[in-house]
Amino acid sequence: MTKLENPVLMATIGGAQGLRGEVRAKSYSADPTALGDYGHLHSMDGRTFEVLEIREMKNVVVVRFRGINDRNAAEALNGLELYIDRDNLPDDELEEDEFFYADLEGLEAVDDQGVSYGTVTGIFDFGAGDLLELKGPGKRPVLIPFSEASVLEIDLEAGKITIDPLASGLVDSDDDGPSFTPGNSGGDKPKKKK
């Protein structure tokens, strides 16, 4: 059994595909067929999975794992989430302005005056562009656009992102305090990420 220090979700297994033990899976990597390129995959219950074959099929990948040889074994994996340790992700392949989603979670969101608007607790894409979820102490989570207008700077070493609260929809005007009113300023993403 392997306990991951810093797990990163790589895929969620769906239903069985055929009779040979293959499964359909939703891959969260930039290249869905690279799922096995990061080493063995792990479930939170301690099981380890080795990818033997992988191919794309519409919006999912079809995967055959070592030791999963029939439909019944494949069906038992339905809904299982598979992770790798963050250390297995290839930092050297990232461009200067690229980030992994996992690296953004936990960063504190502050404005240029140092006022905190919470911590990044998730990154979502509902079809209209990436959104960062911020959660502050005693406050409800709020979503802000992950765009150049809203997110001005990302400093991984300092553990924070600098945001424009007005462009993020967090305040109604420059002289208002944090109101956490959802809004959308649109615009391009500040940094490309994998």
Side-chain angles (χ1 to χ4, degrees):
M1 290 194 164
T2 303
K3 173 83 168 129
L4 301 176
E5 294 293 321
N6 189 4
V8 175
L9 179 62
M10 295 301 292
T12 302
I13 297 177
Q17 175 73 25
L19 302 174
R20 298 184 320 134
E22 293 179 317
V23 295
R24 292 183 302 274
K26 171 71 175 157
S27 174
Y28 302 114
S29 62
D31 174 8
T33 60
L35 191 59
D37 294 353
Y38 306 106
H40 293 317
L41 300 164
H42 306 275
S43 63
M44 288 310 233
D45 62 9
R47 292 182 283 171
T48 300
F49 296 86
E50 179 184 352
V51 175
L52 295 179
E53 294 176 20
I54 189 167
R55 68 182 188 278
E56 280 191 271
M57 186 180 93
K58 295 185 183 179
N59 298 328
V60 297
V61 290
V62 176
V63 184
R64 189 165 70 88
F65 294 111
R66 181 175 305 284
I68 308 297
N69 299 318
D70 60 42
R71 186 171 182 88
N72 290 337
E75 287 175 348
L77 301 178
N78 192 1
L80 190 67
E81 293 181 330
L82 299 176
Y83 298 83
I84 63 168
D85 198 83
R86 169 60 183 92
D87 292 340
N88 291 1
L89 292 174
D91 288 327
D92 55 334
E93 293 179 16
L94 291 176
E95 299 291 327
E96 184 177 323
D97 62 345
E98 289 184 314
F99 304 93
F100 290 113
Y101 281 158
D103 293 339
L104 299 176
E105 291 182 16
L107 298 181
E108 182 181 13
V110 297
D111 64 15
D112 58 357
Q113 303 298 312
V115 175
S116 177
Y117 288 83
T119 302
V120 177
T121 55
I123 298 96
F124 303 99
D125 183 356
F126 300 113
D130 291 332
L131 299 170
L132 299 180
E133 179 185 60
L134 304 180
K135 175 89 172 85
K139 298 193 176 9
R140 290 183 154 183
V142 63
L143 297 174
I144 67 167
F146 188 40
S147 66
E148 287 182 351
S150 296
V151 180
L152 306 175
E153 183 181 356
I154 298 171
D155 188 344
L156 295 176
E157 291 180 16
K160 66 181 179 179
I161 61 172
T162 304
I163 63 169
D164 179 337
L166 184 60
S168 299
L170 298 174
V171 296
D172 292 330
S173 68
D174 285 328
D175 44 44
D176 288 344
S179 65
F180 290 93
T181 304
N184 187 347
S185 66
D188 295 327
K189 295 179 189 174
K191 314 286 186 228
K192 186 178 176 193
K193 59 224 162 291
K194 286 190 175 181

